Amino acid sequence: MPTTLSNLPTQRKRRLGELLIEAGAIDETHLKTALAEQRKWGGKLGRVLVDMGFIDEVSMGQVLAQQLHLEVIDLDTANLSPRVVDHLRLDLAERYGVFPVKYDAALKAVHLATPDPTNTETLKEIEFALNQRVVPVVATASSIDRAVRHYYYGENVVASPVATVVGIQEATFDLEQQFEGG
Protein backbone atom coordinates (compact mmCIF):
# COMPACT_ATOMS: atom_id res chain seq x y z
CA MET A 1 0.00 0.00 0.00
CA PRO A 2 1.47 3.40 -0.93
CA THR A 3 2.28 5.97 1.71
CA THR A 4 -0.52 8.52 1.99
CA LEU A 5 -0.67 11.48 4.35
CA SER A 6 -2.97 9.58 6.67
CA ASN A 7 -0.52 6.70 7.12
CA LEU A 8 2.75 8.64 7.28
CA PRO A 9 4.64 7.51 10.38
CA THR A 10 5.31 10.30 12.87
CA GLN A 11 9.03 9.92 12.12
CA ARG A 12 8.30 11.21 8.62
CA LYS A 13 6.77 14.46 9.82
CA ARG A 14 10.14 16.06 10.51
CA ARG A 15 11.40 19.27 8.96
CA LEU A 16 13.32 19.44 5.72
CA GLY A 17 16.47 20.84 7.33
CA GLU A 18 16.55 18.11 9.98
CA LEU A 19 16.30 15.38 7.35
CA LEU A 20 19.06 16.88 5.21
CA ILE A 21 21.39 17.26 8.21
CA GLU A 22 20.66 13.71 9.41
CA ALA A 23 21.55 12.37 5.95
CA GLY A 24 24.78 14.40 5.91
CA ALA A 25 23.66 16.34 2.82
CA ILE A 26 24.12 19.71 4.56
CA ASP A 27 25.52 20.81 7.92
CA GLU A 28 24.18 23.06 10.70
CA THR A 29 26.01 26.09 9.30
CA HIS A 30 24.40 25.62 5.89
CA LEU A 31 20.98 25.29 7.48
CA LYS A 32 21.37 28.34 9.71
CA THR A 33 22.68 30.42 6.79
CA ALA A 34 19.81 29.31 4.54
CA LEU A 35 17.22 29.96 7.27
CA ALA A 36 18.59 33.48 7.75
CA GLU A 37 18.39 34.06 3.99
CA GLN A 38 14.86 32.68 3.95
CA ARG A 39 13.79 35.02 6.78
CA LYS A 40 15.34 37.94 4.92
CA TRP A 41 13.97 37.29 1.42
CA GLY A 42 11.22 34.67 1.86
CA GLY A 43 10.73 31.58 -0.26
CA LYS A 44 10.91 27.89 0.41
CA LEU A 45 13.86 26.49 2.35
CA GLY A 46 14.64 23.83 -0.26
CA ARG A 47 14.84 26.45 -3.01
CA VAL A 48 17.05 28.66 -0.82
CA LEU A 49 19.44 25.76 -0.13
CA VAL A 50 19.68 25.01 -3.86
CA ASP A 51 20.08 28.68 -4.85
CA MET A 52 22.86 29.10 -2.30
CA GLY A 53 24.66 26.06 -3.74
CA PHE A 54 24.54 24.01 -0.53
CA ILE A 55 22.82 21.09 -2.31
CA ASP A 56 21.51 20.43 -5.79
CA GLU A 57 17.89 19.56 -6.56
CA VAL A 58 18.53 15.96 -7.57
CA SER A 59 20.55 15.18 -4.44
CA MET A 60 17.94 16.81 -2.23
CA GLY A 61 15.19 14.72 -3.82
CA GLN A 62 17.17 11.51 -3.43
CA VAL A 63 17.94 12.25 0.23
CA LEU A 64 14.31 13.07 1.02
CA ALA A 65 12.98 10.00 -0.75
CA GLN A 66 15.48 7.75 1.02
CA GLN A 67 14.87 9.29 4.45
CA LEU A 68 11.09 9.20 4.05
CA HIS A 69 10.91 5.87 2.18
CA LEU A 70 9.13 7.50 -0.74
CA GLU A 71 9.30 6.95 -4.46
CA VAL A 72 11.35 9.30 -6.68
CA ILE A 73 10.21 10.24 -10.15
CA ASP A 74 12.16 11.92 -12.93
CA LEU A 75 9.41 13.85 -14.68
CA ASP A 76 11.74 14.65 -17.58
CA THR A 77 11.93 10.96 -18.57
CA ALA A 78 8.73 9.50 -17.09
CA ASN A 79 6.20 8.10 -19.53
CA LEU A 80 3.04 9.79 -18.22
CA SER A 81 -0.41 9.74 -19.72
CA PRO A 82 -1.45 13.12 -21.11
CA ARG A 83 -4.72 12.59 -19.18
CA VAL A 84 -2.88 12.63 -15.84
CA VAL A 85 -3.61 16.37 -15.61
CA ASP A 86 -7.33 15.54 -15.35
CA HIS A 87 -6.68 14.71 -11.70
CA LEU A 88 -5.34 18.10 -10.59
CA ARG A 89 -6.48 21.57 -11.59
CA LEU A 90 -3.81 23.81 -13.11
CA ASP A 91 -4.26 26.49 -10.43
CA LEU A 92 -3.45 23.95 -7.69
CA ALA A 93 -0.43 22.59 -9.57
CA GLU A 94 0.99 26.08 -10.01
CA ARG A 95 0.09 27.43 -6.56
CA TYR A 96 1.59 24.48 -4.69
CA GLY A 97 4.38 23.48 -7.10
CA VAL A 98 3.16 19.90 -7.49
CA PHE A 99 2.30 17.67 -10.44
CA PRO A 100 -0.04 14.65 -10.74
CA VAL A 101 1.75 11.51 -11.88
CA LYS A 102 -0.86 8.79 -11.38
CA TYR A 103 -4.39 8.18 -10.21
CA ASP A 104 -5.30 5.10 -8.18
CA ALA A 105 -9.06 4.60 -8.53
CA ALA A 106 -9.14 1.76 -5.98
CA LEU A 107 -7.63 3.99 -3.27
CA LYS A 108 -9.26 7.14 -4.65
CA ALA A 109 -5.78 8.67 -4.46
CA VAL A 110 -3.74 11.02 -6.60
CA HIS A 111 0.03 10.42 -6.66
CA LEU A 112 1.57 13.91 -6.61
CA ALA A 113 5.15 14.82 -7.42
CA THR A 114 6.45 17.34 -4.88
CA PRO A 115 9.91 18.73 -4.17
CA ASP A 116 9.15 18.82 -0.43
CA PRO A 117 7.12 15.91 0.94
CA THR A 118 7.76 17.23 4.47
CA ASN A 119 5.33 20.08 3.76
CA THR A 120 2.31 18.13 4.95
CA GLU A 121 0.20 21.29 5.37
CA THR A 122 0.34 21.92 1.62
CA LEU A 123 -0.42 18.30 0.82
CA LYS A 124 -3.37 18.31 3.24
CA GLU A 125 -4.73 21.47 1.58
CA ILE A 126 -4.57 19.69 -1.77
CA GLU A 127 -6.31 16.62 -0.30
CA PHE A 128 -9.07 18.89 0.97
CA ALA A 129 -9.40 20.71 -2.37
CA LEU A 130 -9.56 17.43 -4.30
CA ASN A 131 -11.53 15.49 -1.70
CA GLN A 132 -9.13 12.62 -2.44
CA ARG A 133 -6.09 11.09 -0.83
CA VAL A 134 -2.66 12.33 -1.84
CA VAL A 135 0.30 9.99 -2.21
CA PRO A 136 3.52 12.04 -2.22
CA VAL A 137 6.23 11.21 -4.75
CA VAL A 138 9.53 13.13 -4.78
CA ALA A 139 10.58 15.15 -7.85
CA THR A 140 12.70 18.24 -8.41
CA ALA A 141 10.99 21.63 -8.48
CA SER A 142 12.42 22.41 -11.91
CA SER A 143 11.14 19.13 -13.39
CA ILE A 144 7.70 19.83 -11.92
CA ASP A 145 7.76 23.28 -13.53
CA ARG A 146 8.72 21.75 -16.90
CA ALA A 147 6.00 19.08 -16.57
CA VAL A 148 3.36 21.74 -15.83
CA ARG A 149 4.46 23.74 -18.87
CA HIS A 150 4.49 20.65 -21.07
CA TYR A 151 1.32 18.83 -19.96
CA TYR A 152 -0.92 21.80 -19.14
CA TYR A 153 0.33 24.38 -21.67
CA GLY A 154 1.65 22.10 -24.42
CA GLU A 155 5.13 23.64 -24.43
CA ASN A 156 8.00 21.54 -25.74
CA VAL A 157 10.40 21.93 -22.82
CA VAL A 158 13.62 19.96 -22.42
CA ALA A 159 16.19 19.79 -19.64
CA SER A 160 19.56 21.31 -20.51
CA PRO A 161 22.39 18.76 -20.51
CA VAL A 162 24.90 21.55 -19.84
CA ALA A 163 23.50 22.32 -16.39
CA THR A 164 23.65 18.71 -15.22
CA VAL A 165 27.38 19.21 -14.54
CA VAL A 166 26.39 20.91 -11.27
CA GLY A 167 23.44 18.61 -10.71
CA ILE A 168 20.71 21.06 -11.68
CA GLN A 169 18.76 20.85 -14.90
CA GLU A 170 17.41 24.06 -16.35
CA ALA A 171 14.74 24.34 -19.01
CA THR A 172 15.71 25.29 -22.54
CA PHE A 173 13.68 25.83 -25.66
CA ASP A 174 14.39 24.61 -29.16
CA LEU A 175 14.58 27.98 -30.94
CA GLU A 176 14.56 26.42 -34.41
CA GLN A 177 11.31 24.66 -33.62
CA GLN A 178 9.81 27.85 -32.19
CA PHE A 179 10.45 29.76 -35.44
CA GLU A 180 9.65 26.99 -37.97
CA GLY A 181 5.92 27.75 -37.94
CA GLY A 182 6.12 31.44 -38.65
Side-chain angles (χ1 to χ4, degrees), residues 14-41:
R14 292 181 301 176
R15 295 175 172 248
L16 174 65
E18 293 171 8
L19 291 170
L20 294 171
I21 287 173
E22 183 178 297
I26 64 170
D27 60 31
E28 283 283 338
T29 304
H30 290 144
L31 179 59
K32 287 179 182 176
T33 304
L35 287 169
E37 192 75 5
Q38 182 188 35
R39 278 190 297 278
K40 184 176 179 182
W41 301 106

Side-chain angles (χ1 to χ4, degrees), residues 57-66 68-75 101 112-118 135-141 143-144:
E57 283 188 302
V58 174
S59 298
M60 183 174 353
Q62 290 169 344
V63 166
L64 287 173
Q66 182 179 19
L68 299 174
H69 307 287
L70 295 174
E71 194 179 322
V72 176
I73 187 166
D74 181 349
L75 293 173
V101 295
L112 283 184
T114 175
D116 185 3
T118 66
V135 177
V137 179
V138 180
T140 64
S143 72
I144 291 171

Side-chain angles (χ1 to χ4, degrees), residues 95-116:
R95 180 181 326 143
Y96 296 112
V98 296
F99 187 80
V101 295
K102 181 172 124 182
Y103 180 72
D104 185 332
L107 287 177
K108 198 176 177 192
V110 178
H111 294 242
L112 283 184
T114 175
D116 185 3

